[in-house]
Amino acid sequence: MDNIKIPIGPQHPALKEPENFTITLKGETIINMDMRLGYNHRGIEKACEERTYIQSMYIVERVCGICSHSHSTCFIQAVEEIAGLAVPPRAKYIRTIIAELERMHSHLLWLGVAGHEIGFDTLLMYSWRDREVVMDTLAALTGNRVNYGMNTIGGVRRDITREQLADLLKAMDVLEERTKYYIEVATEEITVIKRFSGVGYLSHEDAMKLGAIGPTGRASNVDTDVRRDDPYIAYKDLDFKVITDNHNDVYGRTLVRLGELMQSYSMIRQLVAKIPDGPIAVKAPRKIPAGEAFSRYEAPRGENVHYVKANGTDKAERVKIRAPTLANLQSVAKMMENNRLADVPIIIAAIDPCFSCTDRMIQINHADHGREKTLSWQTLHAFSLDWHRKQGIDFAALNAKLNRRMKI
Amino acid sequence: MTNEEKIKKELAEMFGFNTEQIRVARERRVFLEVPYNQFRRVLEYVVNDMEFRHLCTISGLDEGETLAFYYHLARTDGIVLNLKTSVPKANPVLQTIADIFPGGVIYERELVDLLGARVEGLPKGNRYPLPDSWPVGLCPLRKDFKIEALAGVDWQKEAKFNG
């Protein structure tokens, strides 16, 4: 039988972001894979050259919808190093708290997506429900669920109160209990074990050669973690284990992420216990002296790196960003080899490529009488129809057109 | 002596670098600049003999007359060696490092597309990250790039690509 080429993407129901994978098949088995990336290229590096450092920080925060804190922290670490700013210890602890909360929401999100890709939607519903605990905590601490806007050059913009720290500990107890349950599911539920084991195999040697990072690399026993190897913000004050696994497949990647969640809860408890008092920011100059710095950060998906070159003005000469997914995509082609076509979605999802997740329900607090109001589905639907009518859209004409088309 | 100073001393003795070429910026950050004709030999040495086995990324810079490239190499003890080299802008030709770092191909393609470097020995493949219809020779990360240059481009037509 001849080999068949199947294009998957750039628009495809199994992938939440535009990427194209052209897969060569022999029967059901994947022979090789070719990638076409760049559909989401927005020219952020160039944009940073034409904006001040503080403006760039907000742009960089929007590189990724999930790892927003990862990118802004990685960027300003480099800027602060060039400017020689001593960030106050309390600010470093606050940055670390947000960083670990971000890892939790990212890993819980991943667990749900992984469940969804193997048709185990109960896992998706459960883990995303629990993820809301993290999202609510982040919203309480920063005012937002993603793109927290917590960082500023020289420190952070908001302090965390004693009450918020107490709430944080309560949230950790809930999440820890739930994660223990997920570990039980992952290690005992036969559907999960059968469906994840041996899928998307990446040997230790290939992971090393192709430069796999983060949980993807650690599940192939690549024992690296920037938090331990090249400590930044408050990580050198914390006691934690780097989770590795030698299953080398999607199952291993699941165990690594679940193990990392447990470590993150412990880190938050240590941070809350040790957080020092003091100022949360130092004043940063508008112009940054000439110089260069290379900054690394362990984002939920792996090592994130930023290189910044300053030229003495208020704008950067060059900003270079390498997000973790770009490094991990190199391993995907290898993971696909000799797998079945039906495994493609879960293999791609297993490196946790970056999805955007800003959807949410809004609870409106009426400013004039302080009453809470939740929009029901019916009200929201009616509101939407009404809004579109006001824009001049005639639903009767649209329906008539649709009916005509359906007849042909 | 710290590990960073040891690296500095070893490289200075091995290749005769002076203090302007090699500097320890801070703990775990070493910067080294080498001329391109020495680059490959230094790269092989630091990868094979000094265990800088992880390529974080390659940063390309437009420095006026030259195009400069930073190869950010990391080691398991957390030290990053930022190895810089440069080629004249008039003839920006590099040799690929895909034989040492197979995962580095995507970073080299980025240099080709965004800075107009010519990378010899780069395996055949799709361009990255610009669209297929982006005109060849128009490099957005060069300092003289003007957005007006994109006026009149036929976005439906695939550009002839030399990457």
Side-chain angles (χ1 to χ4, degrees):
Chain A
M1 196 164 90
D2 285 343
N3 292 345
I4 299 171
K5 276 193 178 181
I6 300 205
I8 299 185
Q11 269 79 39
H12 191 272
L15 308 175
K16 274 79 181 173
E17 277 190 307
E19 287 162 346
N20 168 271
F21 299 93
T22 304
I23 289 166
T24 311
L25 290 175
K26 194 174 184 69
E28 278 279 307
T29 312
I30 300 165
I31 305 292
N32 67 40
M33 188 197 81
D34 191 24
M35 278 184 289
R36 176 67 168 101
L37 311 169
Y39 296 95
N40 251 350
H41 188 76
R42 291 160 288 168
I44 285 182
E45 291 179 11
K46 185 76 179 174
C48 288
E49 291 176 11
E50 282 150 25
R51 281 163 180 82
T52 64
Y53 286 97
I54 198 82
Q55 289 174 321
S56 298
M57 191 194 75
Y58 286 98
I59 291 189
V60 165
E61 187 158 11
R62 280 149 183 81
V63 166
C64 174
I66 298 174
C67 314
S68 57
H69 186 74
S70 306
H71 282 283
S72 73
T73 309
C74 196
F75 172 70
I76 57 172
Q77 270 183 172
V79 177
E80 284 159 359
E81 188 183 324
I82 300 169
L85 291 174
V87 178
R90 190 173 174 86
K92 286 187 178 176
Y93 271 69
I94 294 175
R95 280 182 188 173
T96 317
I97 289 174
I98 305 297
E100 285 311 310
L101 286 171
E102 187 172 77
R103 190 178 321 279
M104 286 169 208
H105 103 67
S106 178
H107 280 6
L108 285 169
L109 174 118
W110 178 84
L111 185 67
V113 172
H116 172 71
E117 300 292 10
I118 61 166
F120 189 7
D121 277 328
T122 315
L123 186 60
L124 163 78
M125 297 298 172
Y126 271 28
S127 67
W128 280 36
R129 181 195 64 190
D130 296 335
R131 176 173 168 266
E132 283 304 304
V133 176
V134 191
M135 302 314 276
D136 289 346
T137 309
L138 278 165
L141 295 181
T142 70
N144 222 347
R145 290 159 60 98
V146 289
N147 294 339
Y148 319 105
M150 219 32 184
N151 283 321
T152 188
I153 298 168
V156 292
R157 294 173 55 223
R158 290 180 202 88
D159 205 347
I160 297 184
T161 64
R162 212 173 287 255
E163 293 74 40
Q164 285 173 326
L165 289 176
D167 289 346
L168 195 52
L169 289 179
K170 275 185 220 149
M172 290 308 109
D173 293 340
V174 176
L175 290 166
E176 182 165 21
E177 203 196 306
R178 294 302 300 165
T179 307
K180 278 185 187 153
Y181 172 68
Y182 295 131
I183 292 176
E184 211 176 294
V185 169
T187 50
E188 288 174 21
E189 170 63 44
I190 198 81
T191 324
V192 174
I193 301 172
K194 289 262 183 199
R195 196 62 188 76
F196 283 167
S197 295
V199 174
Y201 189 82
L202 181 71
S203 71
H204 176 71
E205 291 69 33
D206 285 331
M208 290 295 284
K209 203 169 72 184
L210 294 165
I213 51 174
T216 308
R218 288 195 282 275
S220 295
N221 219 354
V222 179
D223 187 11
T224 55
D225 189 318
V226 182
R227 291 175 292 173
R228 178 198 62 197
D229 303 335
D230 192 357
Y232 54 97
I233 40 183
Y235 286 111
K236 65 174 181 308
D237 300 348
L238 301 180
D239 181 29
F240 61 96
K241 273 211 308 267
V242 173
I243 309 289
T244 56
D245 192 272
N246 50 19
H247 279 90
N248 305 341
D249 53 12
V250 178
Y251 186 58
R253 281 159 222 149
T254 311
L255 295 184
V256 166
R257 288 196 177 93
L258 287 169
E260 286 187 3
L261 279 172
M262 296 302 279
Q263 292 297 314
S264 294
Y265 306 143
S266 142
M267 280 189 231
I268 291 283
R269 292 198 180 103
Q270 295 175 48
L271 287 161
V272 171
K274 288 184 185 172
I275 189 167
D277 288 330
I280 56 163
V282 291
K283 195 169 162 42
R286 200 169 54 83
K287 288 182 180 174
I288 304 293
E292 57 189 348
F294 182 69
S295 164
R296 292 210 284 168
Y297 182 108
E298 187 72 25
R301 285 154 190 76
E303 175 204 40
N304 175 25
V305 304
H306 284 221
Y307 166 81
V308 178
K309 187 176 181 186
N311 54 11
T313 65
D314 60 349
K315 297 183 181 75
E317 172 80 12
R318 174 86 169 95
V319 177
K320 162 77 192 163
I321 300 165
R322 198 274 284 133
T325 299
L326 186 63
N328 275 335
L329 276 172
Q330 311 302 309
S331 309
V332 172
K334 195 77 210 166
M335 291 177 194
M336 295 275 186
E337 280 176 17
N338 299 319
N339 275 274
R340 300 298 181 90
L341 177 64
D343 291 334
V344 168
I346 183 63
I347 294 173
I348 295 174
I351 71 156
D352 198 5
C354 218
F355 307 159
S356 186
C357 70
T358 46
D359 282 19
R360 55 186 169 140
M361 184 183 79
I362 301 173
Q363 218 170 40
I364 302 164
N365 253 331
H366 272 276
D368 44 350
H369 40 80
R371 251 199 353 254
E372 276 191 358
K373 188 181 167 196
T374 307
L375 289 183
S376 70
W377 168 245
Q378 284 79 8
T379 337
L380 192 65
H381 187 233
F383 175 79
S384 153
L385 290 179
D386 192 41
W387 187 87
H388 282 94
R389 276 194 198 102
K390 277 187 195 149
Q391 309 301 310
I393 292 169
D394 181 0
F395 285 100
L398 279 179
N399 280 334
K401 196 171 164 188
L402 183 71
N403 286 336
R404 270 204 310 281
R405 289 260 167 100
M406 297 290 274
K407 273 178 201 148
I408 299 166
Chain B
M1 191 189 279
T2 60
N3 283 338
E4 293 82 351
E5 290 296 331
K6 274 186 206 151
I7 291 166
K8 184 176 170 177
K9 190 161 167 267
E10 184 175 340
L11 284 171
E13 279 170 9
M14 187 74 199
F15 296 98
F17 297 136
N18 60 33
T19 47
E20 288 206 346
Q21 276 175 290
I22 184 162
R23 68 187 169 89
V24 178
R26 68 159 167 94
E27 200 188 352
R28 298 188 298 275
R29 291 290 181 278
V30 183
F31 286 81
L32 169 64
E33 187 167 355
V34 298
Y36 193 66
N37 58 18
Q38 243 184 336
F39 170 74
R40 180 77 197 193
R41 214 156 57 85
V42 176
L43 181 72
E44 279 173 11
Y45 182 78
V46 296
V47 173
N48 298 327
D49 296 295
M50 298 179 88
E51 295 186 349
F52 285 96
R53 301 252 163 85
H54 174 59
L55 176 70
C56 297
T57 191
I58 309 171
S59 306
L61 293 95
D62 178 358
E63 296 200 325
E65 293 297 300
T66 56
L67 291 182
F69 305 98
Y70 261 118
Y71 293 74
H72 306 283
L73 303 158
R75 208 159 81 161
T76 49
D77 62 358
I79 297 181
V80 178
L81 177 72
N82 301 288
L83 178 60
K84 186 184 184 182
T85 189
S86 48
V87 294
K89 215 179 193 174
N91 186 27
V93 182
L94 286 173
Q95 298 297 318
T96 180
I97 55 155
D99 52 330
I100 304 175
F101 295 108
V105 172
I106 199 91
Y107 309 137
E108 292 188 325
R109 292 200 200 287
E110 208 175 300
L111 299 178
V112 172
D113 250 16
L114 299 181
L115 274 154
R118 279 208 302 282
V119 182
E120 286 183 348
L122 194 62
K124 263 198 154 79
N126 294 318
R127 66 188 292 185
Y128 172 76
L130 297 176
D132 293 332
S133 47
W134 188 280
V136 173
L138 205 57
C139 312
L141 275 184
R142 292 231 180 149
K143 291 288 178 189
D144 56 9
F145 172 81
K146 294 268 184 304
I147 196 79
E148 292 78 33
L150 290 176
V153 170
D154 182 0
W155 294 107
Q156 299 303 317
K157 207 176 129 206
E158 197 170 312
K160 246 189 150 50
F161 188 57
N162 62 355

